[in-house]
Amino acid sequence: EVQLAESGGGSVQAGGSLRLSCTASGFAFETWKLGWYRQPPGGECELFAQIDRRGDIWDLTSVRGRFTISRDNAAKKLFLQMDRLKPQDTAVYYCAAAPVVLTTDVPCRGDLGSQSWGQGTQVTVSS
């Protein structure tokens, strides 16, 4: 059974930093595509960063230069270093994994067949 569990969320003032971790089990971690989604209060689910099996990264311009996605295949962990946080970064953050493609324009934690989700962790940034 594929399992993903996020940790590291919390509350921080604008300009601060947080580091999220996602611990994985139950699948061939080193070969899957991994990513981070977020859903702000009253907003839609957004895929904003992903990393493939080769370590190639894609991210949205809204987080580029502030957030860094990385993976440790030996430890089966996905990370998100978030710096220079803004109030608009406030959201529930989810890690996700899929064999090939992470789906966009979907509800967070939706049933997408081969894509798996963590339970989510709250990040709150105050001004």
Side-chain angles (χ1 to χ4, degrees), residues 40-57:
E44 295 185 348
C45 186
E46 172 184 70
L47 172 63
F48 65 88
Q50 60 182 335
I51 183 168
D52 69 12
R53 59 187 295 174
R54 298 178 303 180
D56 292 336
I57 290 169

Side-chain angles (χ1 to χ4, degrees), residues 12 32 62 127:
V12 65
W32 283 36
S62 58
S127 57

Side-chain angles (χ1 to χ4, degrees), residues 13-108:
Q13 289 192 323
S17 298
L18 285 173
R19 182 175 174 85
L20 304 185
S21 298
C22 176
T23 302
S25 62
F27 63 101
F29 182 89
E30 64 277 8
T31 68
W32 283 36
K33 181 166 286 186
L34 309 171
W36 289 98
Y37 293 73
R38 65 184 180 182
Q39 185 162 21
E44 295 185 348
C45 186
E46 172 184 70
L47 172 63
F48 65 88
Q50 60 182 335
I51 183 168
D52 69 12
R53 59 187 295 174
R54 298 178 303 180
D56 292 336
I57 290 169
W58 167 89
D59 54 15
L60 288 176
T61 54
S62 58
V63 303
R64 193 168 300 152
R66 299 188 300 121
F67 292 7
T68 304
I69 186 172
S70 61
R71 63 191 293 166
D72 183 336
N73 289 337
K76 298 187 186 299
K77 290 192 174 189
L78 174 70
F79 301 102
L80 182 70
Q81 177 66 41
M82 302 187 292
D83 298 318
R84 305 200 308 277
L85 281 158
K86 303 176 181 180
Q88 53 264 46
D89 295 319
T90 295
V92 179
Y93 284 68
Y94 301 89
C95 64
V100 179
V101 176
L102 289 170
T103 305
T104 58
D105 297 325
V106 295
C108 283

